[in-house]
Amino acid sequence: MKKWFACLAVAGLLFGTGVGVSHAESWYALDTDQNGRTGYIDNDTVDKNDARATLRLKIVDPNGDHSIYTMIFNRADKTVQLIDVTTYNPQGYMIGSETLANTKVQIQEGSNLDHVYHLIW
């Protein structure tokens, strides 16, 4: 009986500290561009309404490095605001992170961002 309680206590401790919790991401693959980079949208982070959409976009380079951007798309003026970016090496270790204050880009017709814009709306 003591072993049973000890197992329960250890299990409670592990789950209480977050061990065993996974944060699954649902990446939707986009096309590969002419430079060999492939884009992915994290469907679990998409938050949209008729005017705006917030999401995470991952760009994977041919060498395996990848960057994850947090973006806000504005439907009315067809712009995207870059919020932050985190870059990882092929092994998944973070090699850089940056907050992108006031970075607003006009979405050009036919661009990769235009493709994402039309996937959203």
Side-chain angles (χ1 to χ4, degrees):
M1 190 66 137
K2 288 182 182 179
K3 288 181 185 179
W4 177 252
F5 286 120
C7 287
L8 284 176
V10 169
L13 179 65
L14 289 176
F15 285 107
T17 59
V19 175
V21 176
S22 68
H23 298 282
E25 295 162 333
S26 175
W27 294 103
Y28 173 79
L30 304 172
D31 294 332
T32 300
D33 69 10
Q34 65 274 12
N35 297 316
R37 295 178 303 216
T38 305
Y40 299 86
I41 295 174
D42 182 2
N43 282 329
D44 290 346
T45 65
V46 175
D47 181 23
K48 75 171 194 166
N49 57 34
D50 287 339
R52 292 173 38 137
T54 302
L55 57 85
R56 288 191 328 157
L57 179 70
K58 177 169 50 173
I59 306 296
V60 180
D61 292 331
N63 69 358
D65 287 348
H66 58 281
S67 298
I68 300 177
Y69 297 85
T70 304
M71 308 174 136
I72 300 174
F73 285 80
N74 185 309
R75 188 175 191 183
D77 63 2
K78 201 171 181 183
T79 58
V80 62
Q81 183 178 0
L82 306 174
I83 305 301
D84 60 43
V85 59
T86 304
T87 305
Y88 301 88
N89 68 12
Q91 292 75 32
Y93 295 105
M94 185 175 77
I95 56 177
S97 181
E98 183 177 2
T99 299
L100 305 167
N102 301 319
T103 308
K104 195 171 191 180
V105 177
Q106 188 70 43
I107 298 172
Q108 301 299 315
E109 194 68 34
S111 68
N112 291 336
L113 287 174
D114 185 52
H115 179 70
V116 174
Y117 177 88
H118 287 291
L119 284 173
I120 297 168
W121 293 289

